[in-house]
Amino acid sequence: MPSPTPVIDLHAHSSVSDGTESPSELVGAARAAGIDVLAITDHDTVGGWDEATDAARRLGLTLVRGIEVSCTFENQSVHLLAYLTDPEDPALMRELAKARDSRATRLARMVELMAADGIPITYDEVLAQVAPGATPGRPHIADALIANGTITHRDQAFESWLTDESPYYVHHYSPDPARAVELVRGAGGVPVLAHPFTRTRGEGVSDELVVELAAAGLAGLEAYHRDHGPEEVARAQALAERLDLLLTGSSDYHGTGKRNRLAENTTTPEVLEAIEAASSGVTAVVRP
């Protein structure tokens, strides 16, 4: 009898960025959901890698260590998944630290603008939602609004107040995506564009940008994602065929912070094998 196809989810967040579960809790939730291979991809940080690695070994789950790199292109937020990078690469680590530092001051300004418009929120309420050492972000503003009873779910905040087009949106430092692709490749990692044609976070990226990123070293597109409908999936498939890119699928799980459920979209074993082969090997996939 042939072995069952492993369940592979290559995009999930812990409380080290904007998830609601610690890295070990995230790994435990993935195991309980029947996932065989999980990627931890916190925003702009490798801070959860060690704890997640220990938990994966303890629970018998295969772990892909990754990062979701925040980028900006023409005032538009673009996210790049970076798999199996060297966590001590100086150029990439400097860039991520610069982005993290910029986030905190940006959130304070956003809260100030929202409060001035009568939205019941204070910066102290936001800071109360950020776990020690975590990367602060817009989801923590949403969590503060949930905690004080203004809304009931993060999605409500992102549908209005926290979008890139909102009058309360304040830009923070983040690299150009082509530069980020080059940094990830320089760190031995494999760059995949996260939810490129999202329908819920403003406009998705253009085909022209995907072509530019492919020339810079982009390895793949996250085609199978809750923010993509059939039209967006078909668009990703066509671009992948044209540009020789990999196609991944994942949950973009954040715990109770979003409606995304673990393994609701998955990646094939062949694509995971290709990602491993494209990395330098400095950071290996953690297997039981």
Side-chain angles (χ1 to χ4, degrees):
M1 180 180 295
S3 300
T5 302
V7 178
I8 302 170
D9 188 337
L10 292 184
H11 186 172
H13 297 270
S14 79
S15 58
V16 171
S17 64
D18 56 349
T20 59
E21 298 165 343
S22 70
S24 56
E25 289 170 338
L26 171 62
V27 171
R31 201 68 185 119
I35 288 174
D36 301 291
V37 183
L38 178 75
I40 181 171
T41 53
D42 283 315
H43 292 282
D44 302 318
T45 182
V46 299
W49 282 16
D50 289 347
E51 182 182 337
T53 296
D54 291 343
R57 287 176 173 150
R58 185 175 68 252
L59 297 175
L61 181 140
T62 297
L63 183 74
V64 178
R65 290 168 286 187
I67 311 161
E68 187 168 9
V69 183
S70 305
C71 306
T72 302
F73 180 75
E74 296 182 348
N75 294 322
Q76 177 185 4
S77 179
V78 178
H79 290 175
L80 185 73
L81 294 163
Y83 298 113
L84 304 175
T85 58
D86 179 353
E88 298 182 358
D89 179 81
L92 179 60
M93 291 302 108
R94 278 196 302 269
E95 199 72 6
L96 297 182
K98 188 174 180 180
R100 290 196 305 272
D101 290 345
S102 176
R103 280 176 179 267
T105 55
R106 165 272 196 121
L107 283 192
R109 179 60 179 150
M110 288 185 68
V111 170
E112 181 182 338
L113 292 171
M114 292 171 71
D117 235 8
I119 300 168
I121 184 78
T122 68
Y123 192 50
D124 284 343
E125 288 177 307
V126 175
L127 291 179
Q129 302 301 319
V130 183
T135 302
R138 282 178 285 176
H140 296 115
I141 296 179
D143 290 345
L145 291 166
I146 293 169
N148 70 21
T150 302
I151 59 174
T152 58
H153 203 279
R154 278 182 178 179
D155 288 351
Q156 292 172 267
F158 276 93
E159 287 164 0
S160 54
W161 300 322
L162 301 182
T163 68
D164 291 2
E165 293 80 21
S166 166
Y168 311 117
Y169 182 77
V170 174
H171 290 282
H172 64 95
Y173 173 78
S174 55
D176 175 87
R179 169 66 174 151
V181 166
E182 293 167 354
L183 285 169
V184 170
R185 287 291 194 179
V190 185
V192 172
L193 197 58
H195 41 71
F197 310 126
T198 175
R199 302 171 297 171
T200 61
R201 310 177 195 194
E203 295 181 5
V205 305
S206 67
D207 289 6
E208 290 75 19
L209 179 58
V210 175
V211 171
E212 178 185 339
L213 297 182
L218 184 72
L221 300 173
E222 187 183 48
Y224 310 108
H225 186 281
R226 131 182 317 247
D227 284 0
H228 287 178
E231 181 178 339
E232 289 77 23
V233 170
R235 181 179 169 193
Q237 290 170 333
L239 277 168
E241 183 173 358
R242 171 184 164 194
L243 300 171
D244 193 26
L245 298 173
L246 302 170
L247 291 174
T248 67
S250 52
S251 64
D252 196 0
Y253 177 73
H254 286 70
T256 58
K258 291 186 177 180
R259 294 185 174 91
N260 308 45
R261 299 274 60 86
L262 284 163
E264 66 181 24
N265 289 288
T266 57
T267 296
T268 67
E270 293 77 17
V271 167
L272 176 59
E273 183 178 340
I275 289 172
E276 284 192 77
S279 74
S280 68
V282 170
T283 297
V285 171
V286 177
R287 290 189 164 84

